[in-house]
Each structure stands twice: as C-alpha cells, then as structure tokens.
Amino acid sequence: MASIMSKRAALRLPRALRAFSTTSSRGAVVEVKRLGVVGAGQMGLGIALVAAQKAGVAVTLVDSSQTSLDKGLAFAEKLLTKDVAKSRLTQPQADAARALLSTTTSLDALSTADFVIEAVPEIPSLKFDIFSRLAQICPPHAILATNTSSISITRIAASTTTNPKDLSASSRVVSTHFMNPVPIQKGVEIISGLQTSKETLDAAVAFCQRMGKIASVSADSPGFLANRILMPYINEAVICLDTGVGDRDSIDAIMKNGTNVPMGPLQLADFIGLDTCLAIMKVLHEETGDSKYRPSILLKNMVDAGWLGKKSGKGFYDY
C-alpha cells in the first residue's frame, strides 16, 4: 500500500507544480483583483501587507475586534516606515501599499473578493464556522484558502457544504500555509483537501508566487510538510535535554554550527511558542497513532508551568 501511495503522490505533485497560471475550470483566466484576509493577528496582517506590496491587490482585512484591526494597521505602518528608512521601499511604494489596505469587522465585506485567506487561531470550530459563512458570502469563483498549520483541509472544505446554491465551494478550498514572519520568510505550503480541484491548487500556487513566495505542495496529511518534519526535530531536542544527552547550549550550538540554521531547536521552539509546539505534536500523535510523535514530558511540563517561550518571557531561555 505504501508503495502505491508513493507512486500516486509522485504523479500528482509534478502536475500541480507545472501549471502556475490562475485559471478557472473552463480554462478562463481568473484575475485576482481583491483579496480578503480574515484575522488581523501577526499572520493575517503579514499576509495582507505582503499581498498589497508585492501583488498590488486591494486587501480587505477582517477581524471581529476593532482593537485588533487598529493594532494591525499600526504595526503595518511601523513596518512600512522601517522599510522606507532602510531603502527597501520608496515612499511612493509604501504609500501605494498603505492605500490598498482597508479594514472591517464585517465578514460580509468579502462578497466581492476573488481570493480569501483565513488566518485565525487554530480552533477547528472557529475555522469551520468561518468557511461555512464564506461559502455563502463570497462569489462562486472565489478561492477560499486557510492558513492552518495542522487542521485537515478536507474537514475545513466539508464545512462549506451548508450552501445548497453553491455545491462547488468545497472544490475551491485550499490551504496557503505561510511561514512566519510572512514579510520575511519566502516559503508557503499549498495543501489540497480531498475535494480541492486542480484549478484551485494552480490558482493558489500562482497567487502565492505573485506575492513573491516560493510554493511547496503538500498532501492533506497530519502536520503537512513543514510541521511533520520540524516538530519531531524540536521534540527530539527537548527529549535530549530532558534525558541529559546534552545541555541547552550544546544542543542549540551543534545544530546551528553543524547544519547552518540561524537558531537551534530549543531557541526556535521558544520563538514559535511551546504551547503551539505541544499542540502540533498532539495532533501528529493522535491522528497518526504513531508513538514516534509522542510529545516530550518536559515540553508538556513547561507548558503546564506557563513557560511558553518568548511570548511569556520564559521558556528554554529567559526573555
């Protein structure tokens, strides 16, 4: 069975990577003029800003909290000002990007969006509710993308079947999982659910390229590509620390100096958030049933202690 699945995957991925034009199922070009981003946190704001800067599209940023929207715009202004000061952008370019950003607390504002990217917290019920509503609000050609790092795309796509007038909505659901921080990292995972059409996959790859990103295509499997590889690496580093194989500095130093990564696994875990690392390891362990994904006891204990890394001021390092 494994060899059959491997052959199928090998056949599928090159087809997805060959076609980068944004087309509809009838072959007509679907021009993305307006992007909707749901969620004004760090990820959502980063996606919105890069889309305005690099892709030159009008972006509507949606969040249920006006305070979050105000903070997001203030942060965007800070980033644009910094880029101008460092000659990464000219003042006219910064002004143009700023002019393309608008905010609202109403999801109904996405009724004219050509492409929507959801970037809310990793709460399945919240995402399912948003996609159910998007299927009813957005036009029938709109691509509905999620930035999820762990939730099944097939399950998210299934939540769109609540609209009997648009039975094709689930075929237009895909994941565009951007790497954090979005303005800096080039990588993005494009993940298809069971229902996702090839045209939707191609459209997602093409639009992410338009944003200046480098796309990697993944199947809808627990952890996808990035977290399937990254989180066991971090978890094993925590186990090495817990069992005395090496101390914190030695573990991080050997990976930095031996593999040329910018930071070691324990420091990286602090920056990601130990609660996030634990949550993803739990998903991998529960959904695969494989003991190799069992979360480290030390990782669980640190989360229980409230030592979540950089955001809490203490993790493997003090901040």
Side-chain angles (χ1 to χ4, degrees), residues 87-151:
S87 299
R88 295 172 184 155
L89 287 176
T90 65
Q91 190 61 53
Q93 288 173 328
D95 293 340
R98 191 182 297 107
L100 288 170
L101 288 172
S102 63
T103 63
T104 179
T105 56
S106 174
L107 206 63
D108 290 337
L110 303 182
S111 62
T112 59
D114 303 304
F115 202 113
V116 178
I117 300 174
E118 164 274 312
V120 303
E122 293 288 272
I123 303 170
S125 60
L126 176 60
K127 291 183 186 285
F128 299 157
D129 178 63
I130 288 172
F131 274 81
S132 175
R133 294 171 63 192
L134 289 175
Q136 299 179 56
I137 292 169
C138 297
H141 70 273
I143 302 298
L144 307 178
T146 174
N147 188 56
T148 185
S149 61
S150 60
I151 300 170

Side-chain angles (χ1 to χ4, degrees), residues 252-317:
D252 276 358
I254 192 60
M255 298 314 297
K256 286 173 63 178
N257 300 317
T259 63
N260 202 32
V261 292
M263 62 179 72
L266 300 178
Q267 185 183 13
L268 178 58
D270 276 356
F271 274 73
I272 293 171
L274 302 192
D275 53 339
T276 300
C277 294
L278 177 60
I280 296 171
M281 285 305 301
K282 284 181 175 179
V283 168
L284 288 172
H285 188 218
E286 290 168 5
E287 293 195 7
T288 65
D290 195 326
S291 61
K292 73 180 181 181
Y293 297 118
R294 185 172 57 243
S296 159
I297 293 172
L298 176 59
L299 181 62
K300 290 191 285 189
N301 286 343
M302 291 181 72
V303 171
D304 287 343
W307 298 352
L308 308 182
K310 191 173 186 294
K311 62 185 173 185
S312 70
K314 182 175 180 60
F316 295 107
Y317 295 80

